[in-house]
Amino acid sequence: MLNAIRPKNRVIFGYLFFPILLYIFSVFVPLAAAAYYSLFEWKGGPKKTFIGIDNYLTLIKDSIFWQSFGHNVFLVAACVVGQIGLAFVIVLVINSRLVKCKGLHQTLSFFPSTISAVYIGFIWMMVFDYKRGLINWFLTFIGKESAVKVWLNEPQTIMIVVAIPLIWQYIGYYMVIILSAISSVDKEIFEVSEIDGANAIQRAIHIVFPLIKRTLLVCVTLCVAGNMKVFDHIYAMTLGGPGNESNVMALYSYQMSFQRSNMGYGSTISIGIFITSLLLIGGVQLLVKAYTKESEDY
């Protein structure tokens, strides 16, 4: 019966041909082009000078690139805790018996992730504005004028400031993923644990977390990949400033390629983003899988 309704191989190939072709054209072709142009000194015009791996040798010694890489790693760490961690806690709260209108909470939580990242950046730029921003207005209202700052021009706190919009926007996105994983867990497990006297924290740590840890691994992978190529929020809020204190790798590549017209070196930075992202994602996955295997053996 299954063979009777299964489409022929050429039909399957026909359905998949154009999506695969589009994926190759939009992902692998630009990557191959960037790798090719990274071997040249190219200012964007018709003339290119082949220089081999000189751009890569320059990249290894480029302190701004490695500073930007550190900022990306900071955003990854902040968003893994802020996005996935908070999403996990909020999902547990929404799933509790005390919360009503669960569907409304889920919809409102997911809504920010549907807004353009540039809009989010501009909204939070107004929130942190020195003269008319909500943060400074509130500090003045409660009598804390001494705490009023030019938030977008403070080198010591600027990375925390730009991380807040990222965390706020995508909490709902990870809530949907985690909620779908928890929904697939048999409800009897929670009922039995509650009868046995397990409180909410114990159920979260010893029951929910082990059962959905593979879904959480997917969330961590998506979070790392997304924050290693973050661009829109930073561009809208700070343009990488003050100085290079909030610069990230994708923005640095943009600056080199289009503002300084160094397309060859900008392509090299893009390849650097690709390689460092793969290494970081692979390292995170190995750590999580090692923890998962250890907990399973235990």
Side-chain angles (χ1 to χ4, degrees):
M1 183 63 182
L2 291 177
N3 291 332
I5 62 175
R6 183 181 183 275
K8 295 181 179 180
N9 290 335
R10 64 173 178 270
V11 176
I12 297 175
F13 177 77
Y15 279 118
L16 294 178
F17 177 74
F18 287 104
I20 292 175
L21 188 65
L22 180 62
Y23 180 77
I24 292 173
F25 181 78
S26 60
V27 176
F28 291 103
V29 172
L31 184 62
Y36 171 75
Y37 291 131
S38 69
L39 302 175
F40 293 86
E41 182 182 352
W42 181 37
K43 301 301 182 181
K47 184 180 178 180
K48 297 190 293 290
T49 304
F50 181 78
I51 57 174
I53 62 171
D54 285 0
N55 279 331
Y56 291 96
L57 297 177
T58 303
L59 184 69
I60 293 173
K61 301 175 184 178
D62 191 341
S63 60
I64 299 178
F65 173 78
W66 293 112
Q67 182 185 19
S68 301
F69 172 73
H71 294 159
N72 279 102
V73 173
F74 173 85
L75 290 176
V76 167
C79 290
V80 166
V81 175
Q83 292 174 352
I84 302 175
L86 287 177
F88 181 73
V89 172
I90 294 172
V91 166
L92 293 178
V93 173
I94 290 177
N95 268 354
S96 67
R97 298 178 181 177
L98 301 176
V99 176
K100 306 298 181 182
C101 304
K102 300 180 187 294
L104 177 63
H105 292 298
Q106 295 166 17
T107 303
L108 293 177
S109 300
F110 183 73
F111 177 71
S113 63
T114 65
I115 304 175
S116 169
V118 175
Y119 291 161
I120 297 294
F122 281 125
I123 290 170
W124 281 90
M125 184 175 67
M126 291 187 287
V127 170
F128 286 111
D129 185 78
Y130 175 68
K131 294 182 178 180
R132 296 172 294 274
L134 184 62
I135 302 296
N136 283 345
W137 172 84
F138 179 74
L139 291 173
T140 304
F141 178 76
I142 63 175
K144 298 290 185 180
E145 289 86 353
S146 59
V148 172
K149 296 180 181 179
V150 185
W151 294 100
L152 297 176
N153 201 34
E154 290 287 334
Q156 294 79 15
T157 58
I158 187 62
M159 286 308 300
I160 298 174
V161 168
V162 298
I164 291 173
L166 280 169
I167 294 171
W168 176 79
Q169 182 175 12
Y170 289 105
I171 289 177
Y173 175 78
Y174 292 106
M175 280 178 59
V176 172
I177 299 175
I178 295 171
L179 187 62
S180 64
I182 293 179
S183 299
S184 64
V185 178
D186 192 348
K187 302 298 181 185
E188 292 183 0
I189 297 176
F190 300 111
E191 294 173 359
V192 171
S193 64
E194 191 172 353
I195 293 172
D196 289 340
N199 57 38
I201 297 177
Q202 290 172 332
R203 291 197 299 272
I205 296 175
H206 300 291
I207 297 176
V208 178
F209 182 77
L211 290 174
I212 67 166
K213 56 191 172 186
R214 298 194 182 279
T215 300
L216 293 176
L217 174 60
V218 174
C219 291
V220 169
T221 303
L222 292 173
C223 185
V224 173
N227 287 288
M228 286 300 288
K229 59 183 179 63
V230 65
F231 172 85
D232 312 68
H233 297 81
I234 312 294
Y235 183 82
M237 291 183 69
T238 66
L239 288 174
N244 289 303
E245 296 300 325
S246 65
N247 214 352
V248 288
M249 293 187 292
L251 181 56
Y252 186 45
S253 176
Y254 167 82
Q255 292 168 345
M256 276 292 175
S257 299
F258 301 107
Q259 294 180 351
R260 304 182 191 180
S261 298
N262 194 343
M263 304 293 289
Y265 191 58
S267 299
T268 306
I269 296 173
S270 298
I271 298 299
I273 296 172
F274 176 71
I275 293 173
T276 53
S277 299
L278 281 182
L279 292 175
L280 188 59
I281 291 171
V284 169
Q285 286 186 336
L286 287 175
L287 289 174
V288 175
K289 286 180 180 179
Y291 170 77
T292 301
K293 183 178 180 182
E294 182 180 344
S295 61
E296 287 176 350
D297 293 340
Y298 177 77

